[in-house]
Amino acid sequence: MRKPLVVANWKMNPSTLAKAKKLFNSIKEGIRKVRNVEIVICPPFLYLPQLVEFLYRCRKSQLNLGAQDCFWKEKGAFTGEISPLMLKNIGCQYVIIGHSERRRHFNETDEMINKKIKAALKAKLKPIFCVGETGEEREREETSKILKSQIENGLNKISKKEIKNIVIAYEPVWAIGTGKPCDPDEAMRMSLLIRKIIAQIYSRSISEALPTLYGGSVDSKNAAKYIKEARMNGLLVGGASLSSKEFIKILKAIS
Ligand code: 13P
């Protein structure tokens, strides 16, 4: 069985570098007893250089760093943006792309997300490509249609070779930060649907090899269900990754 991948999305937290260092170090300590899980911490951009230093000082192969977003150009006059090349250069392995909070608050479109995925792949970063329907779309029974268009457009002109470096995270918007996680049965149906869409675009073997993550109100009580029952290959954790104790519990529950 594939080693589960657990990604911590710290979002715009914590509020100081001192707190970020503390959280990172206690996670680093806590994972001593965790086996067979790959962990990726995605802090705000600003904390990355310091956390990379910590990582290198005590290199743990199961722990990696990622960013929460990137721009689609390598360099140039793009005020406020960070390029995938910069992220790779500083020591990131992964980058979250297309998170629903970016789609909603910053009007990111499938087309922009597609450009970001291509740029990340070019810089040899692994994109964690987020998809998921809103509560209204789910009520209107449009989930399949939404996932299909997000995936087809987000992966437009991405080759069979490149797709092997992508992780897809299913994050239903209605489950994010609400304390109302998706039922594992429903998450399994979504995981199968994502694989079906990928098989239609690429091939069955590619869809079977594709790592899928579940995200949305994950905690230590429900974490194992998404791996064992919903057959996801890992988790994308928001709020619960801001407490080292709870995050380690999640890791232990699935290791
Ligand atoms: P919560 O775990 O806080 O619901 O957030 C999920 C998420 O958006 C991770 O990217």
Side-chain angles (χ1 to χ4, degrees):
M1 212 178 94
R2 192 205 311 261
K3 218 196 234 187
L5 170 67
V6 179
V7 182
N9 178 7
W10 285 2
K11 307 193 180 181
M12 201 171 71
N13 298 294
S15 53
T16 65
L17 176 60
K19 286 181 187 167
K21 286 185 196 170
K22 196 168 165 227
L23 177 58
F24 187 77
N25 277 328
S26 42
I27 292 173
K28 211 175 71 183
E29 283 307 305
I31 61 171
R32 281 175 196 275
K33 289 176 212 128
V34 175
R35 299 273 172 272
N36 293 321
V37 184
E38 186 187 349
I39 305 148
V40 180
I41 309 283
C42 300
F45 288 130
L46 215 53
Y47 303 150
L48 277 167
Q50 186 75 60
L51 301 187
V52 164
E53 280 284 307
F54 282 6
L55 194 64
Y56 287 160
R57 248 185 263 155
C58 169
R59 184 74 212 170
K60 292 216 175 6
S61 59
Q62 68 182 138
L63 185 60
N64 280 304
L65 280 164
Q68 297 171 16
D69 181 36
C70 66
F71 192 54
W72 59 76
K73 293 279 189 186
E74 282 183 5
K75 61 183 169 65
F78 304 101
T79 304
E81 292 297 328
I82 305 280
S83 83
L85 204 61
M86 293 169 181
L87 294 172
K88 182 67 186 179
N89 182 261
I90 208 149
C92 285
Q93 305 292 326
Y94 288 85
V95 58
I96 297 172
I97 295 179
H99 193 281
S100 61
E101 285 152 15
R102 296 212 56 88
R103 291 178 190 259
R104 186 168 40 150
H105 301 300
F106 305 98
N107 298 323
E108 280 197 9
T109 62
D110 290 339
E111 197 193 353
M112 288 156 80
I113 290 162
N114 177 247
K115 286 203 248 178
K116 290 184 176 194
I117 294 176
K118 285 179 182 157
L121 288 167
K122 196 170 165 218
K124 306 257 180 296
L125 287 169
K126 288 188 181 173
I128 299 165
F129 170 35
C130 300
V131 296
E133 80 288 2
T134 64
E136 295 83 58
E137 287 161 348
R138 181 171 174 249
E139 268 163 37
R140 291 199 299 264
E141 298 184 3
E142 288 174 359
T143 303
S144 308
K145 191 179 91 183
I146 297 292
L147 291 188
K148 195 167 187 305
S149 78
Q150 286 177 343
I151 294 172
E152 283 177 354
N153 296 326
L155 298 180
N156 186 29
K157 297 205 172 82
I158 286 172
S159 71
K160 283 189 173 179
K161 202 172 148 213
E162 289 169 319
I163 184 77
K164 292 181 180 156
N165 291 313
I166 296 180
V167 176
I168 295 195
Y170 171 62
E171 290 209 310
V173 180
W174 49 269
I176 297 178
T178 57
K180 291 187 191 125
C182 180
D183 187 81
D185 279 352
E186 192 173 338
M188 183 168 84
R189 285 199 299 278
M190 294 308 127
S191 154
L192 291 174
L193 176 65
I194 290 169
R195 288 192 200 284
K196 194 172 147 199
I197 299 166
I198 294 293
Q200 281 163 355
I201 310 174
Y202 297 97
S203 71
R204 204 172 152 167
S205 62
I206 287 177
S207 91
E208 279 164 7
L210 176 93
T212 55
L213 311 183
Y214 168 75
S217 296
V218 170
D219 61 24
S220 59
K221 291 188 191 78
N222 61 30
K225 290 185 192 159
Y226 295 107
I227 311 293
K228 288 173 191 151
E229 295 171 28
R231 291 196 235 140
M232 290 280 178
N233 306 109
L235 303 164
L236 180 48
V237 188
S241 70
L242 296 173
S243 150
S244 56
K245 221 169 136 192
E246 179 64 5
F247 189 59
I248 299 297
K249 270 198 201 170
I250 292 175
L251 298 173
K252 285 185 178 160
I254 63 162
S255 73

